[in-house]
Amino acid sequence: MRAHPLATDAVLALGALVSMVVGSFADPHGPHGPTFETQPPEPFSLLLILLGAIALVFRRRHTRAVLAVTIGLSLLELTTGEPRAPVAMSAVIALYTLASRTDRPTTWRIGLLTMAGLTGVAMLAGPLPWYAQENIGLFAWTGMAAAAGDAVRSRRAFVDAIRERAERAERTREEEARRRVAEERLRIARDLHDVVAHHIALVNVQAGVAAHVMDKRPDQAKEALSHVRDASRSALNELRATVGLLRQSGDPEAPTEPAPGLAVLDELVGTFRHAGLPVKVMVELGRERDPLPAAVDLAAYRVIQEALTNVRKHAGPEVRAEVSVVRVGASVEVTVLDDGGAGADPAPADPPPADDGAGGGHGLLGMRERATALGGSCFAGPRFGGGYRVHAVLPVV
C-alpha cells in the first residue's frame, strides 16, 4: 500500500462507489424500519456518485481540492436529490483524509466549516424537514470523520516520535561506543609507549655499556648484559599482557598481576640506577592516610617512569635526577627534576616559557592526558640553571 498509494486509493474509491450505489437504494422510512427500494436512483445522482468516487482516487495528491469537489457534489445532491443518494460519503472520506494529513487547528477549522455547511444546507434548502434523521446523521458522520482523522494523525506522530527517539538513542549508543573505543585505543597506546620507551631506552644504554667494556672489563659487560636481559624480559611480559587483552574475543579477563604503582617505585628507580642514572627519591604520603586510588597510583608511576626515561635519553652525561611524591591536601604532587648533566646551560636571563603541549613527543602528551583524565594537571619545561622539570598534580578525591 505504501509502494502504490494511487492504486490503493483507486481500490478505496471503487469500494466507496459500490457502497454509495448500494446505499442509494436504501429507504430509512420503511413501514418497519429501513428497507431497500426497487426503484433505482436518479441518473443525476448516479453521475454525482461517480464523480465523487473518481475524485477520491486523488485524495492524497490533492487533498484540499478533492475535499472541495466532494463537498460541492454533496451540496448539489442535498439540494436536488429526492430521494437522496449518499454522495456525502465521498466528502466524509475526503474530510478524514485531510484531518489525517494536516495539523489539528486546520482540521477543526475546516471540519467545523464542513459540518456546518453540509448540515445547514441539508436542513434549510433540502427537501426533507430540518429535523430529519438524515440531517443529524450527516452532522455526526462528518464530525466523526474529522475526529478519526485527527486521532490517526496524532497516533502517527506519536509513533514517528518514538521511532525518532529510538534512532537517536541508537546513534548515541554508536557514538558512545566509538568514543569508548577511541579512549581505549589511546590508553593502550599510552601504555605501550611507556613500556617500550622505558625498557628499550634501558636496553640501549646497557647494550652500549656492554659493547664499550667488553674487552677490558668483561665482568662489567656481563652485568650490563644481565640488565639487558632483565629489561627485555620485563618489556616482553608487559607487551604480552597488553596484546593478550587485545586478542581476547569476549570481555577481557581481569589481569592476574596487579598494575604497577608506587609500591614498586624502588624497582623502577633501581633499573635507572643500574643504567647509570643516579636518582634520589622522596615519598611522603602520610601514615594515617587512606591508600591512593588505583588510577592515581598508576598515573603517578607512569609519570615518573616517562620522566626518568626522558632524562636518560635526552640529558647530558653525569646527569642526576630527583623524584618526589608528596600528598598535599586532596591531591598528590609528583615532581621529577634533573640538572641537565655535564655541560648544562646556565640560568637564562628571562624565565623560559612553559611547554603548553603544542610540541614535544608522545611521552609528554601521554603524561598530560593521564593527569587530565583524573582532573589534574601536568607541567613540563626547562629549569633555571639547566635541566628539566616535570610536575604533575593528581587529585585523590
Side-chain angles (χ1 to χ4, degrees), residues 19-344:
S19 299
M20 287 188 288
V21 170
V22 173
S24 63
F25 286 90
D27 180 13
H29 304 287
H32 302 289
T35 59
F36 279 95
E37 297 180 338
T38 58
Q39 183 179 359
E42 297 292 331
F44 184 68
S45 297
L46 289 176
L47 177 61
L48 296 179
I49 289 173
L50 180 61
L51 293 177
I54 293 174
L56 291 179
V57 176
F58 309 98
R59 66 187 184 97
R60 280 190 278 193
R61 290 190 174 184
H62 308 285
T63 305
R64 300 200 179 194
V66 169
L67 178 60
V69 170
T70 53
I71 289 176
L73 297 175
S74 301
L75 292 176
L76 286 174
E77 176 62 23
L78 291 175
T79 55
T80 61
E82 180 57 36
R84 289 180 183 173
V87 181
M89 181 184 293
S90 60
V92 169
I93 296 175
L95 179 60
Y96 163 82
T97 304
L98 177 71
S100 65
R101 299 173 66 85
T102 187
D103 56 276
R104 180 165 294 172
T106 303
T107 295
W108 289 111
R109 183 169 60 250
I110 297 179
L112 289 175
L113 288 175
T114 303
M115 293 163 59
L118 292 179
T119 307
V121 170
M123 288 181 174
L124 300 178
L128 298 176
W130 67 270
Y131 53 83
Q133 62 181 359
E134 290 91 333
N135 299 335
I136 305 300
L138 182 62
F139 181 83
W141 277 107
T142 50
M144 285 190 295
D150 182 70
V152 170
R153 180 198 55 79
S154 298
R155 182 182 179 279
R156 191 179 297 145
F158 177 72
V159 172
D160 291 341
I162 292 178
R163 184 181 296 111
E164 181 182 359
R165 285 197 296 268
E167 293 175 354
R168 188 184 305 116
E170 183 67 23
R171 288 195 300 270
T172 303
R173 283 194 296 268
E174 292 177 356
E175 293 173 358
E176 179 67 14
R178 286 194 295 268
R179 184 187 65 81
R180 291 186 179 183
V181 168
E183 290 180 353
E184 185 66 13
R185 186 179 299 164
L186 182 61
R187 183 193 67 79
I188 293 172
R190 284 199 302 261
D191 289 343
L192 288 176
H193 175 273
D194 292 340
V195 172
V196 172
H198 167 62
H199 292 292
I200 297 303
L202 295 183
V203 167
N204 180 57
V205 171
Q206 295 292 354
V209 172
H212 182 68
V213 300
M214 179 67 72
D215 296 331
K216 297 181 179 180
R217 285 173 287 176
D219 293 339
Q220 188 175 352
K222 280 186 181 179
E223 182 180 358
L225 291 176
S226 175
H227 292 317
V228 168
R229 183 183 64 246
D230 295 339
S232 60
R233 182 186 300 114
S234 299
L236 287 174
N237 290 336
E238 294 195 38
L239 286 174
R240 187 179 297 111
T242 303
V243 174
L245 289 176
L246 293 176
R247 297 183 65 178
Q248 293 181 16
S249 58
D251 294 335
E253 299 177 357
T256 57
E257 297 182 358
L262 297 179
V264 293
L265 180 60
D266 291 338
E267 298 179 11
L268 174 67
V269 172
T271 59
F272 287 100
R273 288 171 177 164
H274 288 309
L277 174 63
V279 182
K280 181 179 179 181
V281 179
M282 190 273 289
V283 178
E284 182 59 47
L285 299 177
R287 296 181 179 179
E288 299 178 359
R289 303 275 188 171
D290 295 331
L292 296 179
V296 176
D297 195 28
L298 175 61
Y301 178 88
R302 292 302 190 191
V303 168
I304 296 172
Q305 182 186 51
E306 178 62 28
L308 291 179
T309 301
N310 288 339
V311 172
R312 193 66 191 86
K313 288 169 59 179
H314 303 298
E318 301 180 9
V319 63
R320 295 178 178 274
E322 297 180 4
V323 176
S324 68
V325 182
V326 181
R327 187 161 183 170
V328 180
S331 62
V332 172
E333 297 188 7
V334 179
T335 305
V336 180
L337 307 174
D338 71 86
D339 58 9

